[in-house]
Amino acid sequence: MVEQEIEALKGKKYPAKQHCRNVCSHFTTKKPNAKSAGHYFFVSGEREVLYQYSDQAKPFRQNRYFFYLSGCDIPGAHVIYNCGSDSLTLYLPEIDYDDVMWSGMPLSIDEAYAKFDVDTVKYASELEKDVAALSSNQIFTTDINDSNKAFSHALTAGDPDLFYALDESRLIKDEYEIELMKHASKMTDNCHFAVMSALPIENNEGHIHAEFMYHALRQGSKYQSYDPICCSGPNCSTLHYVKNDDEMAQKRSVLIDAGCEWSLYASDVTRCFPINGEWTKEHLEIYNIVLKMQKATMDMIKPGASWDECHLTAHKVMISEFLKLGIFKSEYTAEDIYDSKVSVRFFPHGLGHLLGMDTHDVGGYANYQDENVLLQYLRLRRPLQKGMVITDEPGVYFSPFLLKDVLETPEKMKFIDKEVLDKYWYIGGVRIEDDLLITDDGFENFTKITSDPAEISKIVKAGLAKGSSGFHNVV
Ligand code: GLY
Ligand code: MN
Ligand code: MN
């Protein structure tokens, strides 16, 4: 199995049983009799789904809650956990003649016992009978779907207490999950290094995308945590730009936000660099501001720290640096500008989010309706805790779309020196994004690819990819 490639995980299984216990323990804070009354958690995994009017399957992406409770990435499987007896049963799909003919033999029951951290393995044909033997009103499930509608009358679907318990449990990563995430990060570092090194032979955003994917696939990361964002010049002002098809000639800046997935666990890293290795004055100015925003927030990160405060600190750093550059007029104070909230048009997204099996992982409790526009897109709204993995990803953007009404509204425009601002549009934007594990007294940064502008310049200029498709290990 893929985890066995990680030294620290050799001989270990994905800790599904412990995950079930953790979920049960959070569940009992809401339903105190969950154990004594013998409540169950039941989750169906995703099934293979075909495109409409086609015999081609959509890319398979396992249900994260199902995987968390089972460690199983097989389509069409189910899991039941009995909180009372602490027993976990995995139901595998039946062996299908056509499937074997086209796709080969599936995992046998014996192989499943050896691979997964479960007490019992059965075929799904036994599921309906087994569920019928359990008392109804005690089987809690996430949702009713095509996989379980045959016995939906026996299920209690969508109880918020179950989601609460699952999300609180997924919030804190255990050692096994941390090793998977470190491995994903390591592969991502190598891909980013390869992209930076290959800039001399990349003249379209698609080449950056291809370079990243080539190295991801070579390392075994078949799926990415999200669609890679590969942009150049003004395109860097679109936060989740995925067209990745523009020519790079005549442009100066590149932004790549891409992360490998490993065994369903994500990494999420952004790096920016100059196309020819030489930073322009304006590009480097903005890059250094974003680096300062990241440094100031990293200095605050430890258990108990307010992520809201970290995010607002990043805004304050940006405002004070924009005042120095003259983008914000010096006749206004940093406080005036902060209170006007105009900074949100240059730094519109949140400072970072939880990271786990989902890139924007569960448990962050975003409030997209927050009256404070500075906080509206912040996806993590709770104090930091040891064992969380988060991204720290400040950014500064020059988006004609986001700044249009600022430029047209005198009350907002008064803070901005248009002549100075006009020097920066060609950069598009800069974001720097690292993945951090919160530790006892601070954090461990999983992301090792350099963000130092001088080192980046050296790597791009050295153009290691010139004349080679060699693979470079940075960690
Ligand atoms: N790559 C998506 C994000 O950074 O949130
Ligand atoms: Mn991110
Ligand atoms: Mn990202």
Side-chain angles (χ1 to χ4, degrees), residues 226 229 239-240 255-259 267-270 353 359-360 391 393 431 433 435:
Y226 49 93
I229 297 161
L239 304 182
H240 286 172
L255 179 155
I256 170 166
D257 179 348
S267 60
D268 180 9
V269 171
T270 308
H353 49 83
T359 303
H360 299 151
T391 66
E393 52 173 309
R431 176 164 67 253
E433 177 174 28
D435 300 343

Side-chain angles (χ1 to χ4, degrees), residues 376-425:
Q376 259 174 9
Y377 293 105
L378 189 58
R379 290 188 168 99
L380 171 56
R381 299 300 302 275
R382 58 194 295 173
L384 301 181
Q385 288 178 52
K386 183 185 169 187
M388 285 178 170
V389 178
I390 61 166
T391 66
D392 189 343
E393 52 173 309
V396 169
Y397 308 87
F398 299 93
S399 159
F401 177 77
L402 293 181
L403 287 165
K404 186 170 184 295
D405 82 305
V406 173
L407 298 178
E408 289 169 357
T409 313
E411 203 37 45
K412 293 178 184 163
M413 189 55 204
K414 68 181 185 189
F415 299 109
I416 294 168
D417 187 325
K418 177 78 172 26
E419 215 171 288
V420 181
L421 173 66
D422 283 346
K423 295 184 201 156
Y424 293 89
W425 296 106

Side-chain angles (χ1 to χ4, degrees), residues 21 130 133 169 192 250 275 382 384:
R21 290 182 189 131
D130 286 1
S169 187
H192 275 280
Q250 316 306 327
I275 285 178
R382 58 194 295 173
L384 301 181

Side-chain angles (χ1 to χ4, degrees), residues 135-153:
S135 345
S136 48
N137 302 328
Q138 291 180 348
I139 312 170
F140 290 84
T141 190
T142 46
D143 58 307
I144 304 297
N145 52 45
D146 285 349
S147 306
N148 58 41
K149 65 182 176 204
F151 45 92
S152 62
H153 56 276

